[in-house]
Amino acid sequence: MHYTLNQLQVFLKVAQTQSVTKAAELLHLTQPAVSIQLKNFQAQFDIPLTEVVGRKIYITEFGKEIAEAAAEIINQVNGINQKSLQYKGQLAGRLKITIVSTAKYVMPYFLSEFLRRNPGVELLMDVTNKQRVVESLEANEVDFSMVSILPQKLNLEHIDLLPNKLYMVGKTRSSFDESRSLEEQFDELNWIYREKGSGTRQMMESFVEQNHWAIAKKLELTSNEAVKQAVIAGLGFSIMPLIGLKNELNNGDIKIFSVSGLPMATMWQLVWVKGKKHSPVAQAFISHIKKEAATLIQKNFDWYIKY
């Protein structure tokens, strides 16, 4: 057999995602390139690694065993590379982070300089929902997470990074009766919500409850990006984090409406399980954040802080 490390990596990612398309996206390869590597890898075995039912790919029992072996080999190779870098005095290893979806507008700015200074560090960052973030912390699967509302049932340590400010937003030319105050019409408007369990949804529901609104017209979407596009399309109003609206506000696609009690604010926080034994990479990242956070915020979020 003459399979390559690249073929092992491709097959492992296909096995993990059960999708050639998703594997290609995560590996930053084209779908045909992944298909060719998968075909060449399969050709070295007499027993099928995968099977296609309908249009979905499934991993056979034999394929699952090969995937486990591939994961071990890749981890060993990564370990060799890390030891080589460490021997030369460079920081090396993996940094595993989960973040809620809106944090994708925040977290990369706290990572970029750290990764530039430490090319031997491999970043594994999962942008997901709040439930999955909490699960990753509970299972001790990650070094850090980023949330704007601390999970109450977990004992966490945290570093405050940036306020998370939420405003009422709508299309620039919105359909409501301008002869009456906006507050008088809240119950009549179409409202766009995040899915249940979302931190943004939690904040919006809290505000609605405080104001005793009886919202009847509701649309529920599963990401802030989807909510934003729905607002731009004129499907309704929402209460959204300012952090993801910079371009739309500058372009005039979205308008912030002045409402008593808004903006509401939570705090973006880097969190980890209390008592966690950090790797040298994780320890270095904490030191980087504590030292550089103020400078990074001023450099990248000056517009946001002043808004």
Side-chain angles (χ1 to χ4, degrees):
M1 292 187 179
H2 302 285
Y3 47 79
T4 66
L5 180 61
N6 187 45
Q7 288 173 348
L8 289 173
Q9 291 171 326
V10 166
F11 176 66
L12 178 60
K13 195 59 66 177
V14 170
Q16 290 171 338
T17 62
Q18 294 193 42
S19 168
V20 171
T21 301
K22 290 180 180 178
E25 291 175 357
L26 293 172
L27 293 168
H28 305 290
L29 298 171
T30 64
Q31 187 171 331
V34 169
S35 296
I36 290 171
Q37 293 286 358
L38 184 61
K39 181 179 179 181
N40 291 340
F41 187 59
Q42 172 65 82
Q44 300 181 68
F45 299 90
D46 296 327
I47 304 172
L49 300 172
T50 64
E51 57 183 354
V52 178
V53 179
R55 300 182 64 181
K56 184 172 177 58
I57 189 170
Y58 293 89
I59 310 302
T60 64
E61 288 302 317
F62 177 67
K64 290 176 183 177
E65 293 187 16
I66 298 300
E68 291 179 6
E72 292 180 8
I73 293 170
I74 292 168
N75 285 335
Q76 289 175 357
V77 171
N78 288 334
I80 292 171
N81 294 336
Q82 290 167 16
K83 288 182 184 299
S84 177
L85 290 169
Q86 289 167 355
Y87 189 79
K88 293 188 290 185
Q90 297 181 28
L91 188 67
R94 287 185 173 181
L95 185 64
K96 297 182 180 180
I97 301 175
T98 52
I99 64 174
V100 293
S101 59
T102 315
K104 67 187 177 187
Y105 300 109
V106 179
M107 194 68 211
Y109 293 97
F110 292 94
L111 285 163
S112 59
E113 184 63 20
F114 178 76
L115 295 175
R116 187 190 67 79
R117 294 177 184 176
N118 301 286
V121 173
E122 179 186 1
L123 173 65
L124 299 176
M125 186 168 75
D126 185 13
V127 182
T128 183
N129 55 41
K130 183 181 176 183
Q131 180 180 345
R132 172 60 191 140
V133 167
V134 172
E135 289 172 353
S136 71
L137 287 166
E138 286 179 322
N140 197 29
E141 296 174 348
V142 295
D143 298 302
F144 306 105
S145 294
M146 178 175 271
V147 296
S148 62
I149 300 176
L150 286 175
Q152 295 182 353
K153 62 179 179 178
L154 294 181
N155 191 8
L156 301 173
E157 296 186 62
H158 64 91
I159 300 174
D160 291 345
L161 295 177
L162 191 71
N164 179 30
K165 299 183 285 187
L166 292 89
Y167 290 82
M168 178 180 170
V169 298
K171 191 174 181 179
T172 305
R173 295 183 178 180
S174 300
S175 54
F176 63 89
D177 185 356
E178 297 187 7
S179 67
R180 301 159 56 204
S181 71
L182 186 57
E183 284 85 348
E184 292 175 345
Q185 304 173 64
F186 282 154
D187 296 351
E188 305 166 20
L189 301 177
N190 292 322
W191 287 95
I192 306 170
Y193 277 67
R194 281 289 305 276
E195 79 284 4
K196 291 182 179 180
S198 159
T200 301
R201 167 74 171 254
Q202 184 177 336
M203 293 294 289
M204 185 170 176
E205 286 183 332
S206 174
F207 188 72
V208 168
E209 184 177 341
Q210 290 172 18
N211 287 274
H212 308 290
W213 296 347
I215 292 176
K217 302 174 182 177
K218 184 189 298 183
L219 178 65
E220 184 175 302
L221 301 174
T222 58
S223 74
N224 276 318
E225 198 64 32
V227 172
K228 181 166 63 177
Q229 295 304 318
V231 170
I232 292 172
L235 292 179
F237 297 80
S238 190
I239 294 176
M240 295 191 66
L242 173 65
I243 194 67
L245 302 176
K246 182 179 181 181
N247 291 336
E248 289 74 20
L249 289 170
N250 288 340
N251 296 336
D253 296 325
I254 280 180
K255 178 181 178 180
I256 287 179
F257 292 87
S258 178
V259 176
S260 177
L262 293 178
M264 302 177 75
T266 55
M267 179 66 69
W268 288 116
Q269 299 169 86
L270 187 73
V271 302
W272 62 93
V273 177
K274 190 171 185 178
K276 182 175 178 60
K277 295 181 179 179
H278 287 299
S279 68
V281 169
Q283 289 174 343
F285 185 62
I286 289 177
S287 297
H288 171 77
I289 290 295
K290 289 180 176 179
K291 181 180 179 181
E292 303 291 344
T295 300
L296 293 170
I297 290 170
Q298 183 177 10
K299 177 182 177 182
N300 298 295
F301 300 102
D302 187 57
W303 72 273
Y304 178 79
I305 297 296
K306 291 179 178 178
Y307 197 92

